[in-house]
Amino acid sequence: MILQQERQAVADAGRRMITDGLVLGTAGNVSIRVGDLVAISPSTVAYSDVTAADVCVVDMDGVVVDVAEGRRPSSEVPMHLSIYRESDAASVVHHHGLKSAAVSTLVDVVPTIHYYVAQLGGSLRVAPYARYGSDALAAGVMAALQDRVAALMQNHGAVAHGPTLELAYGRAQLVEWLCAMYIEAASIGSPRELTDADMQDVVAARTARTYA
């Protein structure tokens, strides 16, 4: 079985999303890229039942390279492949966390009320609604991800990517946390937003710490 280690990691990440409350049932998907191949969650299979053998492998054109009998790749293959083509990502995590999905119905850009958004490249944008699995959704997500590593998807959920599965997953969790914070703050008043100058200062501090 090709990409056995990566397929197992995808299966494990799906179960982790269930445990962390980021998805229900078969919602969301996870992928890992290795060269010109991508291991991605199967469609309509409960994460609790997914094994490494159930995880599908496609090439960068979306052609199925390896798949177990009766399985098919996630419907979001177009979105995952678009991200891989336009970034240096090696993993993509898409979830339907309740807080992320809720906030995606309200705003076009999540208000910058915490400096943690610097870890995602800046303010959290919301891709316009398009049907799941569609090329239109993939295009909208790519626009929202410009100079970013995470975004929301209107009336849908969230997506994040990274150079490793662990980092992509951590960013996906951070998106949910930021949305939860916004909901909590907005429920009791009008949250104060950080200014562009505030965020530039944060970015400068992060850069200095990274390269000092």
Side-chain angles (χ1 to χ4, degrees), residues 24-36:
L24 292 173
T26 63
N29 29 75
V30 177
S31 70
I32 297 175
R33 177 181 182 179
V34 180
D36 291 330

Side-chain angles (χ1 to χ4, degrees), residues 1-23:
M1 181 170 62
I2 62 173
L3 302 187
Q4 182 171 357
Q5 183 176 349
E6 289 78 15
R7 291 163 94 167
Q8 184 62 58
V10 168
D12 292 342
R15 282 185 284 277
R16 184 178 175 187
M17 287 201 295
I18 290 287
T19 300
D20 291 342
L22 294 178
V23 294

Side-chain angles (χ1 to χ4, degrees), residues 25-181:
T26 63
N29 29 75
V30 177
S31 70
I32 297 175
R33 177 181 182 179
V34 180
D36 291 330
L37 298 179
V38 175
I40 188 166
S41 310
S43 180
T44 65
V45 182
Y47 287 112
S48 58
D49 298 332
V50 174
T51 67
D54 294 314
V55 175
C56 306
V57 177
V58 301
D59 66 18
M60 291 299 292
D61 293 320
V63 176
V64 176
V65 174
D66 193 15
V67 63
E69 184 177 355
R71 300 298 188 227
R72 53 192 170 89
S74 166
S75 61
E76 298 296 1
V77 164
M79 179 181 69
H80 286 248
L81 294 185
S82 292
I83 292 172
Y84 289 131
R85 293 188 192 106
E86 301 298 326
S87 73
D88 60 357
S91 182
V92 176
V93 175
H94 163 47
H95 69 69
H96 291 188
L98 179 60
K99 308 301 184 183
S100 299
V103 171
S104 78
T105 71
L106 298 172
V107 298
D108 294 324
V109 179
V110 180
T112 305
I113 62 174
H114 200 286
Y115 62 85
Y116 278 1
V117 296
Q119 298 179 39
L120 304 177
S123 55
L124 195 57
R125 304 185 187 113
V126 183
Y129 177 78
R131 179 183 56 77
Y132 69 89
S134 66
D135 290 338
L137 177 62
V141 166
M142 291 311 302
L145 283 173
Q146 184 175 5
D147 300 321
R148 301 289 190 272
V149 295
L152 294 185
M153 303 151 71
Q154 183 188 324
N155 297 80
H156 188 156
V159 62
H161 66 76
T164 65
L165 172 57
E166 192 62 29
L167 189 51
Y169 193 95
R171 288 168 172 171
Q173 287 181 302
L174 178 56
V175 171
E176 182 73 355
W177 185 87
L178 289 166
C179 289
M181 179 185 175

